[in-house]
Amino acid sequence: VTKCVGGISEVADAFINAGVVALGDSRIKNLKLLQNYSIPKWLIRIPMISEAQDVIKYSDVSLNSEIKVINSLNEEAKLLNKKHNIILMIDHGDLREGWFNIDDFYEDCKKLKQFDFIEVIGIGTNSNCAGAIIPEPETFKSFPEIITFIKEEFNLNDPIVSGGNSGAYYMVENGTIPKFINNLRLGELLLFGNETSFQKQYDYLNQDVFNLVAEIIELKEKPSKPIGISGKDAFGKTPVFEDKGIQKRAILGIGKQDIPPEDLIPLDNKINVITASSDHLILDLTNCKKKYQVGDKINFNCTYGSGLRASTSDYVKKIIKH
């Protein structure tokens, strides 16, 4: 899955060289950047009707959960004379996308036969996202019945059964993933060396692939607690600050528009992230051994949240190191 890096070709190259069988992204804009790659390209966010034409043009597979949307995809596929493959999403409790009522799913599947330019190639599910639900072997208890149904309904010998994202990988590691699952949509694991369900970091993967560098634009000693009547910040929140006396505070030229500050890990472990506004990141350098100056660069490792936001921000320059 390339959505975290905005479809950067060097990352796609690395994935393909490592043996992935498809590239997935949640944004059509990113899939357009991947058109020169011959392997299948998946749209992993359920499509909008308004983007149906581009879905057909720029993706080979899309994840779907609405008959009305699939109808629009069929109409555009017919105009372009191009068959389009779809994965039917089942909601097992995370309450993001997918059919929740299985009887409704079976009923809608019968309607799909009217779409001549749509090919059902499998089923999928998602966890760890909207509801932060951890997938377990028990999560997939209804899948064998559903798999049997779609094999018969759509004449499939070996349907794709997509068991989720990086949050399902722990079951691969401990050998508990159901044998009928033959596909995972992996992004965070491959990019950050981190699985989602238990935030486990694997020692055979790198956790420092994403390094953010930002410049100090102000460095002054100031009180640690703001002075005056507290109200809302620029994002409508009411922050709380502890009085720690006078601090050496640095401002960096980056902010919440580009990164979630709580997801940054300073390489200098004496640095503490205090807060951020849209365009300013404020740090506490009081206990640092290094004597930082205005113009110095501060290095951070990124977790998934900060890596995603920085990679897709137009205001952050990307440098690829091979």
Side-chain angles (χ1 to χ4, degrees):
V1 173
T2 59
K3 72 173 186 177
C4 188
V5 295
I8 292 175
S9 61
E10 289 89 345
V11 174
D13 290 337
F15 280 172
I16 292 169
N17 291 337
V20 303
V21 297
L23 295 173
D25 209 293
S26 59
R27 308 297 173 112
I28 293 293
K29 182 178 179 180
N30 297 339
L31 289 175
K32 288 181 181 180
L33 300 175
L34 303 174
Q35 284 309 292
N36 292 331
Y37 296 98
S38 59
I39 67 173
K41 288 166 284 292
W42 288 33
L43 177 65
I44 62 169
R45 182 178 71 182
I46 50 177
M48 294 183 272
I49 289 176
S50 60
E51 64 182 2
Q53 184 179 88
D54 282 346
V55 173
I56 303 302
K57 281 184 177 180
Y58 300 112
S59 71
D60 303 292
V61 181
S62 61
L63 311 185
N64 283 268
S65 61
E66 286 287 350
I67 290 292
K68 188 174 181 180
V69 175
I70 298 170
N71 178 60
S72 295
L73 294 175
N74 184 67
E75 292 299 316
E76 293 297 338
K78 183 177 181 179
L79 291 174
L80 295 170
N81 194 29
K82 179 185 177 184
K83 290 272 187 176
H84 184 71
N85 298 320
I86 65 172
I87 301 288
L88 303 176
M89 297 299 285
I90 309 296
D91 190 337
H92 276 311
D94 191 68
L95 304 184
R96 200 176 76 174
E97 78 273 48
W99 278 270
F100 186 76
N101 185 298
I102 297 304
D103 289 335
D104 289 345
F105 170 74
Y106 290 152
E107 193 65 32
D108 282 344
C109 280
K110 297 182 186 302
K111 301 174 185 176
L112 294 176
K113 291 186 175 180
Q114 65 183 296
F115 302 135
D116 295 334
F117 285 80
I118 296 296
E119 297 282 351
V120 175
I121 61 172
I123 58 173
T125 193
N126 187 72
S127 298
N128 305 99
C129 289
I133 297 300
I134 294 173
E136 302 175 278
E138 181 71 8
T139 301
F140 306 97
K141 64 182 179 181
S142 66
F143 264 33
E145 177 187 309
I146 296 171
I147 293 167
T148 299
F149 172 82
I150 65 166
K151 279 183 174 181
E152 296 174 356
E153 190 73 12
F154 301 109
N155 194 26
L156 297 173
N157 292 322
D158 188 23
I160 290 174
V161 182
S162 189
N165 53 36
S166 295
Y169 184 74
Y170 84 93
M171 291 186 288
V172 175
E173 279 283 308
N174 66 22
T176 62
I177 195 163
K179 295 186 183 302
F180 49 76
I181 291 176
N182 55 25
N183 174 280
L184 291 177
R185 309 181 303 277
L186 301 180
E188 180 176 0
L189 179 79
L190 301 180
L191 295 170
F192 297 90
N194 185 70
E195 66 82 33
T196 312
S197 286
F198 300 99
Q199 294 298 299
K200 180 178 178 181
Q201 296 181 336
Y202 293 104
D203 57 10
Y204 57 84
L205 296 173
N206 295 306
Q207 283 79 42
D208 59 354
V209 173
F210 288 76
N211 182 242
L212 178 72
V213 182
E215 184 176 331
I216 297 176
I217 57 176
E218 179 184 293
L219 182 60
K220 297 185 184 300
E221 289 191 348
K222 296 184 181 182
S224 54
K225 187 173 183 179
I227 300 165
I229 300 172
S230 295
K232 305 291 185 181
D233 64 14
F235 292 86
K237 307 296 183 183
T238 305
V240 177
F241 298 95
E242 183 182 349
D243 189 350
K244 297 180 180 180
I246 299 297
Q247 292 176 321
K248 183 177 287 185
R249 293 161 68 101
I251 298 178
L252 308 188
I254 194 169
K256 288 185 178 179
Q257 185 167 335
D258 312 293
I259 44 89
E262 64 275 9
D263 287 340
L264 291 174
I265 304 168
L267 295 193
D268 183 340
N269 61 14
K270 298 298 183 182
I271 293 176
N272 291 312
V273 177
I274 299 175
T275 189
S277 62
S278 301
D279 307 291
H280 301 79
L281 178 65
I282 303 175
L283 307 178
D284 175 12
L285 307 185
T286 306
N287 297 318
C288 293
K289 294 180 181 179
K290 180 178 176 179
K291 302 300 181 183
Y292 290 99
Q293 299 179 29
V294 172
D296 284 351
K297 306 295 195 300
I298 304 291
N299 285 265
F300 303 87
N301 276 339
C302 296
T303 60
Y304 177 79
S306 51
L308 167 68
R309 190 90 64 83
S311 292
T312 56
S313 171
D314 288 339
Y315 304 106
V316 177
K317 182 180 179 180
K318 289 80 179 175
I319 299 173
I320 309 296
K321 292 186 177 181
H322 294 273

